[in-house]
Amino acid sequence: MIDLELEDINALVKYFNYKREPSCGSRCIDMGRVFSPPHTAYPPYPEKLPVVYKEVITGRQLNELHLVYIDSGSGWYKNSAGDNFRVSAGTALLLYPHVYHSYAPDPNEGWSEFWVGCDGSYPQFLIEEDAFRRKNHPTRVALYQGLSDDFGQLCRVAMGRHSPVIKSQLLGGVINRILGRMLVLDKSVEAPVEPGSADAVAKILAYLDERIEGEVDFKTLPDLTGMRYDKFSRLFQTETGMTPHQYYLDKKIKAAITLLQSGLSVKETSYRLSFDSPFYFSWLFKKKTGESPQAFKSRTP
């Protein structure tokens, strides 16, 4: 397998045509890792996608189980059952076969996503048993690190040089792990919301929004709500789908996009938003948007 850093994968879309099911019970049909920067067409790289995938904004049905994981940015999602949800970083969309649905990132923000489509005896068993309880619904997983790692492993296997039989087995094993992890997460996200939690989180969101150009001591945030740190952290992630630090960095990147568009240089933007260095700012900007701030600036009118 090749040595590959996940951040180096800007566009990975692969399709597989295995004629028999792996012994592990799951078969990978397609998978990908793509960034959709702000103010760009969605889905990205349409030349790599069949027609049914290009119709994701207007509405489509898939023939196999799909799992889409949004690890940065935000957008929307709706389905034929009348569900209409906001999608934030840390949201996993479980897409059952033959259910009409659509989704897309916000044009002004974009997002980055992983996805995998699969069939086989194990996914079919989960569908028949309704293991996830209802069709085509989003689950907030609060940027759960294990899920990102699993999808990263899926990308590395897909890019590896194994024989088709071995690759099929490896991909199926990773898919089993992803589905198993989602079963656990899906059953843990419906804890009752405690009284006052929404107000407490709203207070912190306003506090962070006011300090986008400065710095924040995250250890002191629970003091503003009168909660213990563990309780506050859990409530914040339940309400927003991310940690306070992740939320704060996402807001800084959004502000950086506006500043770069206004004509500020990369260095000026970095200092304006109190990043430790232009190098760190450039690294984070590329991680969040899929391109360097200089590249973004060069194509901005």
Side-chain angles (χ1 to χ4, degrees), residues 130-152:
D130 195 21
F132 295 99
R133 294 170 299 181
R134 65 188 182 94
K135 295 181 179 180
N136 282 38
H137 69 291
T139 298
R140 281 184 174 175
V141 294
L143 292 174
Y144 187 74
Q145 185 62 40
L147 197 56
S148 293
D149 290 344
D150 289 344
F151 273 105

Side-chain angles (χ1 to χ4, degrees), residues 207-226:
Y207 179 86
L208 294 175
D209 290 347
E210 293 171 357
R211 291 161 175 77
I212 292 303
E213 294 188 1
E215 298 180 354
V216 171
D217 183 354
F218 290 91
K219 293 181 180 179
T220 66
L221 292 183
D223 297 337
L224 301 176
T225 65

Side-chain angles (χ1 to χ4, degrees), residues 192-203 227 231 235-236 238-239:
V193 177
E194 300 183 34
S197 63
D199 290 340
V201 172
K203 181 177 181 179
M227 297 180 183
K231 179 180 179 182
L235 290 175
F236 190 96
T238 299
E239 290 290 323

